[in-house]
Amino acid sequence: MKLNAGFVGFDGTENKRTLLAVDAVKKATGVEGDLNVLLRRPHGRAISVLNKVIRMCGVRAYVSDEEDKAKWEKLGFKIEGKFNDFFEASDFVMVGTPGGQETSYVEAGLANDCHMSMMGGAKRPKIMAELEEKGVEITDKLKADFEREFFFGLE
């Protein structure tokens, strides 16, 4: 089985632990596939965490925009692609951004048929309402996925 997992807001404590847990589960169960992270602007914690997860898990880095790509590459990081490339390369996406910033990432993931999950602080009813306002159909399966704290396609 191959399953590529993507992480938005990967440098937050909760998402960082999840990334490491997913890596351990994939290795223990023999699930192949990449671990992808979507980078925004570089800052101290993100740089440190990215160095560690590249070393420990071999993550692949993508960026939100061209300006950030140049900044990360200047710091010596290999960037695999941009925003849309990240979602195309991920089967599962965990969103752990600061509150109020999740909807655009969830929308992009759904548009690319990604399984979506959000960290515990996400205001899921608000996000679902924002998605519905944008014309995204909220199916029963999607609603069930949103109600889970963590979903990796394994039950």
Side-chain angles (χ1 to χ4, degrees):
M1 175 182 193
K2 182 176 180 179
L3 189 60
N4 297 323
F7 296 85
V8 178
F10 77 98
D11 58 323
T13 301
E14 194 175 0
N15 214 354
K16 179 174 53 184
R17 289 180 183 152
T18 303
L19 190 149
L20 296 172
V22 168
D23 181 57
V25 168
K26 287 179 70 161
K27 288 175 181 170
T29 60
V31 174
E32 296 179 16
D34 297 323
L35 293 175
N36 305 318
V37 294
L38 183 64
L39 306 172
R40 294 178 287 177
R41 64 175 175 70
H43 57 83
R45 182 173 55 187
I47 294 166
S48 173
V49 171
L50 184 58
N51 273 318
K52 289 176 186 171
V53 295
I54 287 172
R55 186 180 72 247
M56 295 169 66
C57 311
V59 300
R60 296 168 45 113
Y62 295 79
V63 291
S64 294
D65 63 47
E66 197 63 36
E67 183 180 325
D68 288 338
K69 180 179 185 211
K71 291 176 184 175
W72 283 102
E73 287 178 336
K74 187 176 179 181
L75 292 167
F77 292 98
K78 179 182 178 194
I79 303 301
E80 302 289 337
K82 298 180 192 167
F83 187 87
N84 288 329
D85 301 323
F86 167 81
F87 290 99
E88 290 171 8
S90 301
D91 301 305
F92 158 82
V93 175
M94 174 66 77
V95 179
T97 60
Q101 297 180 15
E102 303 96 345
T103 304
S104 63
Y105 299 108
V106 174
E107 183 178 17
L110 293 173
N112 284 282
D113 295 323
C114 299
H115 292 282
M116 299 302 300
S117 185
M118 292 169 282
M119 288 295 165
K123 295 180 176 42
R124 290 162 176 81
K126 181 180 181 227
I127 295 166
M128 284 191 285
E130 290 173 352
L131 290 169
E132 284 181 309
E133 287 174 14
K134 293 181 173 201
V136 176
E137 181 186 353
I138 306 298
T139 64
D140 289 341
K141 181 182 180 325
L142 180 59
K143 187 175 180 180
D145 283 352
F146 272 33
E147 291 171 353
R148 289 190 190 112
E149 288 295 316
F150 181 78
F151 175 70
F152 192 63
L154 305 174
E155 302 201 327

